[in-house]
């Protein structure tokens, strides 16, 4: 993983990512020498962060993630983006299909289920395999500001009969602009690795 925020130097680190479909995302981050620096657990309604370097932890919801990344995401969106799928949890108000120089283009106006939150989505499909090559998500916030998230899938690999992204670039158009580059070195499906998340008693709670 490479993480770049405008005006700052690029950060590089390794991570283990595990997903239990429609339930849980677990991440362990290791900057160097295989020593874990942080761990995160995301579910549909909660977010847990453990900082081993500073010995503190955070228990919160997706408003916290919004404040950290300056973008509006939830569990369903995060899971879909990581595996190269269309998002769920939104009903379609209108749609349009066409083509441009990047491939097949699908455009949607959507509304988050059980809310009035509106989302504009543009999704480009690769004409050779019909997988998502890129997508643009724009969501209007309650104070009428727009949060934009761009995702580019640079490579797909056939893993046990499924085409999954192995390289992707995420751009968060906020102030400051943030770019995240992900390269998946190894992908396993249907393996039971577990999702350990233990908070030591001497760690300080921040939120």
């Amino acid at each position: 993983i490479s993480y770049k925020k405008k005006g700052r130097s690029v950060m590089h680190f390794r991570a283990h990512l595990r997903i239990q479909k429609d339930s849980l995302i677990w991440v362990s981050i290791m900057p160097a020498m295989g020593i874990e620096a942080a761990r995160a657990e995301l579910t549909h309604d909660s977010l847990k962060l453990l900082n081993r370097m500073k010995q503190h932890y955070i228990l919160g919801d997706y408003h916290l993630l919004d404040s950290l990344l300056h973008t509006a995401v939830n569990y369903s969106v995060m899971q879909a983006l990581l595996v190269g799928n269309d998002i769920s949890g939104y009903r379609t108000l209108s749609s349009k299909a066409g083509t441009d120089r990047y491939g097949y283009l699908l455009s949607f106006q959507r509304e988050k289920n059980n809310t009035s939150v509106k989302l504009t989505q543009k999704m480009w499909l690769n004409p050779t395999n019909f997988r998502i090559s890129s997508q643009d998500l724009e969501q209007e916030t309650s104070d009428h500001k727009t949060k934009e998230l761009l995702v580019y899938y640079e490579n797909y690999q056939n893993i046990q009969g499924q085409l999954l992204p192995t390289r992707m670039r995420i751009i968060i158009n906020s102030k400051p602009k943030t770019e995240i580059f992900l390269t998946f070195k190894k992908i396993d499906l249907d393996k039971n690795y577990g999702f350990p998340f233990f908070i030591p008693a001497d760690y300080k709670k921040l939120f």
Side-chain angles (χ1 to χ4, degrees):
I1 299 176
S2 297
Y3 178 90
K4 180 182 179 182
K5 184 171 284 191
K6 188 175 181 180
R8 300 185 183 180
S9 57
V10 181
M11 297 173 59
H12 303 281
F13 48 89
R14 295 189 302 115
H16 291 293
L17 171 67
R18 300 172 186 173
I19 299 176
Q20 183 172 301
K21 186 179 178 182
D22 300 329
S23 176
L24 189 149
I25 297 173
W26 180 95
V27 186
S28 174
I29 298 172
M30 295 160 286
M33 299 178 65
I35 300 174
E36 185 180 57
R39 186 174 292 194
E41 181 184 284
L42 293 81
T43 65
H44 280 279
D45 56 8
S46 68
L47 171 66
K48 300 178 183 178
L49 298 173
L50 188 68
N51 188 325
R52 296 200 183 280
M53 307 299 289
K54 296 184 178 181
Q55 296 191 337
H56 64 230
Y57 67 95
I58 297 173
L59 303 178
D61 56 22
Y62 285 88
H63 290 96
L64 174 61
L65 195 60
D66 287 354
S67 65
L68 292 174
L69 296 179
H70 305 288
T71 188
V73 297
N74 56 30
Y75 178 90
S76 297
V77 171
M78 184 77 73
Q79 177 181 266
L81 295 180
L82 286 171
V83 299
N85 287 341
D86 189 12
I87 62 173
S88 61
Y90 290 79
R91 67 186 185 95
T92 300
L93 303 177
S94 64
S95 62
K96 184 171 63 174
T99 59
D100 65 8
R101 62 193 180 97
Y102 299 110
Y104 295 111
L105 171 61
L106 304 177
S107 302
F108 302 94
Q109 292 292 329
R110 290 178 159 170
E111 185 176 73
K112 190 175 181 180
N113 291 346
N114 304 315
T115 73
S116 59
V117 175
K118 300 293 193 301
L119 179 77
T120 300
Q121 179 187 18
K122 291 182 179 180
M123 184 166 58
W124 286 266
L125 303 181
N126 186 319
T128 61
N129 56 25
F130 294 97
R131 295 293 286 160
I132 299 173
S133 58
S134 62
Q135 57 180 318
D136 181 348
L137 304 176
E138 290 188 10
Q139 182 170 306
E140 185 175 311
T141 62
S142 57
D143 54 358
H144 303 293
K145 294 181 180 179
T146 299
K147 293 186 175 182
E148 183 180 28
L149 181 69
L150 302 166
V151 185
Y152 300 91
Y153 299 97
E154 299 176 355
N155 188 63
Y156 279 89
Q157 183 177 337
N158 190 318
I159 309 291
Q160 297 176 217
Q162 297 186 46
L163 283 177
L164 295 171
T166 56
R167 286 202 311 272
M168 56 192 294
R169 178 163 60 108
I170 301 171
I171 300 175
I172 301 170
N173 274 332
S174 61
K175 294 184 179 179
K177 177 181 176 181
T178 301
E179 293 185 68
I180 303 171
F181 300 86
L182 301 176
T183 300
F184 296 97
K185 298 293 187 182
K186 182 182 178 183
I187 299 177
D188 292 322
L189 301 180
D190 303 321
K191 294 289 183 72
N192 185 16
Y193 288 111
F195 304 88
F197 197 96
F198 172 75
I199 301 174
D202 58 341
Y203 277 35
K204 180 181 179 182
K205 183 179 180 181
L206 293 186
F207 299 103

